[in-house]
Amino acid sequence: MNGVGIVSYGAYVPHFRITPDDIGKVWGVDGKAMGKGLMISSKSVPAPDEDTITISVEAARNMMKRCDINPKDIGALYVGSESHPYAVKPTGTIVAEAIEAAPDLTVADLEFACKAGTAALQTCMGLVGAGMVKYAVAVGADTSQGAPGDALEYSASAGGAAFLIGKEKVIATIDNTYSYTTDTPDFWRREGKLFPRHGGRFTGEPAYFKHVVSGGMGLFEKTGTEPKDYEYAVFHQPNGKFPTRVARQLGFAEDQMRTGLLVPTIGNTYSGAVPLGLAAILDEAKPGDRIFAVAYGSGAGSDAFDIRVTDEMARFGRDLAPTMTEIMANPKYLDYATYAKYKGKIVKGRD
Amino acid sequence: MATAPRFWRENPSRYNLVGFKCNNCGNHYFPPRIICPLCRRKSVGKIEPVRLKGTGTIFSFTEVHEGMDEQNMQRPYIVAMVELDEGARITGQVIDCDARDLSIGTEVRATLRKLSEEGSSGVIHYGYKFIPLCNGPAASENE
């Protein structure tokens, strides 16, 4: 699309983890079996002083570290999340100040369940492609919520990634994008409510699978490509089994999606899921490699992307910020009581 | 409430460690001041705002068991004097580690975290804290 693509990227995942086994013990559930079914061995947990803003800032700073562009050349910044700390007051203003991109830019927060980060990516592609801004930043980050004892508690985690979109020194062009959107109430959180609700099995076939497959097929049709044209594939990953199954349905082999599948060790990072998977792929992709990415957001919709790594990747400062492997290394495991305290699930006597 | 604008005025320092360099003696300081504490009137007109890199070593530290209400969720928490690479000394919380992980000279990097909240409906204040480099990737210092 007019040479528009990723100029730099950065990621961040909190230091703490909890295992499904430890969660299950509290609720009288076989957590190990639950984890096996979900293909999740641990999930990331934000520290009490972390939220979507701090995660976005860390990811965006890692992104800036890998390139030498002047932050004042950034003309737009969007943060996609379903856990913005404020209902009214943008996450993006703090991120923009923290990377010294303010004040000459436009900023907004986006929300579309788990695909707000890729919606931000598309918005940035449009602005850069139209020549309205030189560079734009898209962040997808979340500290997702799962009600105590709910099935979501075994997967809902935290993390995020940031992408600098531009037309110069592009390490990966975004050659095409396709979205598929319907009104499907599979998962929601009402204003003022702490935890989301979901339709159980309804989140599967009519929601995740229908939209991810339709998004993927739509992109194949638009680009005239097929699975064998791509070295890597990454899908929204609410658990391990959904993306594994949808990859098979679309015709991808396991080795194409292995790099981008992070959910087994960090859980479902919601708006951060596909952005983090894409970051893991960019950590190792070579010039000429092609990446197929489909994000999914409940409510519901999918954003599919056809991305091609350029020769610029060989000159890119990939090592100037931590890779996903380094970010996910050496976590600290929490027991359920500490996890509940960190996540604000314990009602305190005073506020 | 008066604290929101008071914190807001200090955001450049809290978010991005903007301190200053005295071009009379060459020393770096944090937080920003109008004159150099060493050179005093000789530094007038020679004060230059500088963004500090955020990497340094622990000069001294302590573990706080009875501290501020805001930090109760992380109690016991660690507070350290950090000597930044530029020479300025700065006090801040050290996070994502236990006291036994730290010693004088431990390398740390700055990161942005929540400092406090004015209750559940008030403003959230963000600012620098420090993470030991041995805890994770060394390359993501404040930039």
Side-chain angles (χ1 to χ4, degrees):
Chain A
M1 283 189 164
N2 308 325
V4 174
I6 299 164
V7 177
S8 184
Y9 68 97
Y12 176 74
V13 177
H15 181 57
F16 300 102
R17 303 280 185 279
I18 188 167
T19 64
D21 191 24
D22 276 335
I23 298 171
K25 274 178 194 161
V26 174
W27 299 109
V29 172
D30 184 347
K32 270 194 181 134
M34 181 72 105
K36 202 173 169 193
L38 294 169
M39 290 170 66
I40 290 175
S41 59
S42 61
K43 69 164 193 170
S44 64
V45 181
D49 56 1
E50 290 188 294
D51 60 18
T52 291
I53 289 175
T54 64
I55 289 170
S56 300
V57 166
E58 194 76 354
R61 282 179 172 168
N62 283 336
M63 171 195 81
M64 294 304 289
K65 200 152 180 53
R66 285 192 167 117
C67 60
D68 57 1
I69 76 141
N70 183 348
K72 301 294 180 200
D73 285 337
I74 295 170
L77 186 146
Y78 298 100
V79 182
S81 179
E82 61 171 80
S83 51
H84 293 290
Y86 288 97
V88 179
K89 194 205 171 302
T91 297
T93 53
I94 297 169
V95 180
E97 291 278 7
I99 61 169
E100 297 184 307
D104 296 319
L105 82 168
T106 178
V107 168
D109 290 355
L110 304 184
E111 187 276 319
F112 193 142
C114 296
K115 79 164 190 73
T118 52
L121 200 57
Q122 289 175 326
T123 309
C124 291
M125 287 168 63
L127 289 171
V128 172
M132 286 176 67
V133 300
K134 189 173 180 187
Y135 295 105
V137 175
V139 183
D142 255 313
T143 53
S144 50
Q145 314 92 5
D150 187 83
L152 278 180
E153 201 179 20
Y154 295 86
S155 59
S157 66
F163 296 87
L164 182 68
I165 306 301
K167 279 183 172 178
E168 293 169 16
K169 291 191 176 178
V170 169
I171 57 166
T173 54
I174 306 175
D175 295 337
N176 234 311
T177 181
Y178 171 79
S179 292
Y180 182 87
T181 310
T182 72
D183 175 19
T184 307
D186 58 323
F187 171 104
W188 61 90
R189 180 165 64 87
R190 294 280 299 274
E191 180 73 43
K193 295 292 176 186
L194 285 177
F195 300 110
R197 288 180 57 183
H198 56 86
R201 291 173 67 87
F202 187 66
T203 58
E205 284 304 333
Y208 179 89
F209 289 99
K210 176 184 167 186
H211 291 79
V212 174
V213 169
S214 300
M217 295 303 283
L219 188 65
F220 283 144
E221 196 176 320
K222 201 173 171 186
T223 55
T225 57
E226 50 188 344
K228 69 175 176 54
D229 296 326
Y230 298 89
E231 276 72 25
Y232 296 97
V234 57
F235 303 96
H236 179 54
Q237 36 203 277
N239 50 55
K241 66 181 179 179
F242 274 29
T244 305
R245 207 171 111 199
V246 90
R248 216 177 297 136
Q249 283 179 14
L250 283 166
F252 287 96
E254 205 182 314
D255 61 341
Q256 287 169 293
M257 60 171 299
R258 191 173 296 125
T259 305
L261 191 67
L262 306 174
V263 64
T265 46
I266 61 169
N268 179 7
T269 51
Y270 284 47
S271 299
V274 162
L276 282 169
L278 184 55
I281 291 169
L282 291 172
D283 281 345
E284 67 169 50
K286 299 181 296 297
D289 283 351
R290 215 162 168 184
I291 305 161
F292 188 85
V294 188
Y296 171 73
S298 290
S302 61
D303 298 330
F305 298 88
D306 172 18
I307 299 166
R308 192 190 300 265
V309 179
T310 70
D311 292 342
E312 188 66 29
M313 183 61 104
R315 292 179 286 276
F316 180 61
R318 199 147 47 180
D319 298 335
L320 296 175
T323 61
M324 281 308 297
T325 307
E326 292 169 325
I327 287 168
M328 295 189 298
N330 306 319
K332 182 177 178 183
Y333 288 87
L334 304 176
D335 56 25
Y336 189 88
T338 310
Y339 156 79
K341 184 180 77 167
Y342 279 14
K343 287 290 290 173
K345 293 183 180 193
I346 297 174
V347 178
K348 292 184 286 180
R350 62 193 171 115
D351 184 9
Chain B
M1 197 171 289
T3 48
R6 183 169 66 78
F7 268 79
W8 169 78
R9 277 184 212 108
E10 295 168 352
N11 278 353
S13 295
R14 290 185 188 278
Y15 291 1
N16 288 321
L17 290 177
V18 175
F20 78 90
K21 182 184 177 188
C22 169
N23 283 318
N24 191 53
C25 64
N27 289 337
H28 289 80
Y29 295 95
F30 185 91
R33 299 180 208 182
I34 295 167
I35 58 165
C36 172
L38 199 68
C39 306
R40 298 182 179 271
R41 65 183 169 80
K42 287 181 190 162
S43 67
V44 173
K46 294 174 183 170
I47 296 296
E48 177 192 354
V50 170
R51 184 179 173 181
L52 303 162
K53 278 192 304 174
T55 48
T57 54
I58 289 183
F59 179 76
S60 186
F61 70 100
T62 187
E63 193 173 44
V64 182
H65 291 260
E66 289 295 334
M68 297 183 294
D69 280 351
E70 292 94 329
Q71 309 303 337
N72 274 349
M73 295 291 277
Q74 292 171 297
R75 193 166 59 183
Y77 61 92
I78 301 156
V79 174
M81 283 172 74
V82 172
E83 189 161 286
L84 296 173
D85 291 345
E86 295 87 347
R89 279 187 197 153
I90 176 171
T91 303
Q93 195 182 336
V94 184
I95 47 166
D96 290 3
C97 66
D98 296 321
R100 64 174 176 270
D101 302 331
L102 304 177
S103 56
I104 288 169
T106 297
E107 290 182 299
V108 294
R109 69 174 176 91
T111 186
L112 187 91
R113 291 289 176 99
K114 276 195 283 190
L115 296 178
S116 61
E117 300 178 34
E118 294 181 6
S120 60
S121 61
V123 170
I124 308 167
H125 301 299
Y126 296 88
Y128 57 84
K129 292 188 181 182
F130 293 91
I131 298 180
L133 286 188
C134 55
N135 226 19
S140 93
E141 75 265 22
N142 188 0
E143 180 71 9

